[in-house]
């Protein structure tokens, strides 16, 4: 695994998203040379995949609380996000 990949995996969702937003801003302004645009675009793709993976992990952990007839919690079940 490369140092870049290791560094990416250590980023929190918030930090990865902030970096991705910065990259998008640079690309939208168009003030970055072509070669650098390609490089930061590739970094943006890696950040997007990292954020997607972190979101999927979080969704898998989220559960909804089941309640009985009297309104008391009776357990949990996976959250249906579809």
């Amino acid at each position: 695994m490369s140092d870049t990949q290791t560094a990416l995996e250590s980023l929190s969702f918030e930090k990865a998203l902030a970096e991705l937003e910065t990259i998008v801003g640079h690309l939208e302004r168009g003030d970055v040379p072509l070669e650098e645009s390609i490089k930061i675009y590739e970094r943006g793709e890696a950040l997007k995949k990292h954020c997607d993976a972190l979101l999927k992990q979080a969704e898998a952990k989220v559960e909804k609380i089941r309640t009985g007839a009297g309104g008391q919690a009776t357990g949990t079940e996976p959250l249906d996000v579809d």
Side-chain angles (χ1 to χ4, degrees):
M1 185 179 308
S2 71
D3 289 339
T4 303
Q5 187 63 28
T6 302
L8 181 68
E9 290 178 359
S10 68
L11 286 177
S12 69
F13 176 81
E14 293 79 9
K15 287 183 180 183
L17 186 59
E19 184 179 342
L20 182 56
E21 289 172 343
T22 299
I23 288 171
V24 169
H26 285 301
L27 293 173
E28 285 180 342
R29 282 194 307 274
D31 59 356
V32 181
L34 180 60
E35 287 299 316
E36 188 175 340
S37 291
I38 293 168
K39 191 179 291 186
I40 65 173
Y41 177 84
E42 290 170 348
R43 174 69 176 177
E45 278 295 311
L47 287 163
K48 178 186 171 293
K49 288 178 184 176
H50 179 66
C51 287
D52 285 343
L54 291 174
L55 281 175
K56 285 181 179 158
Q57 289 173 11
E59 287 175 354
K61 293 178 184 178
V62 173
E63 297 178 321
K64 67 178 176 182
I65 299 172
R66 288 182 291 172
T67 57
Q72 297 295 323
T74 60
T76 63
E77 61 188 56
L79 180 63
D80 181 15
V81 292
D82 291 333

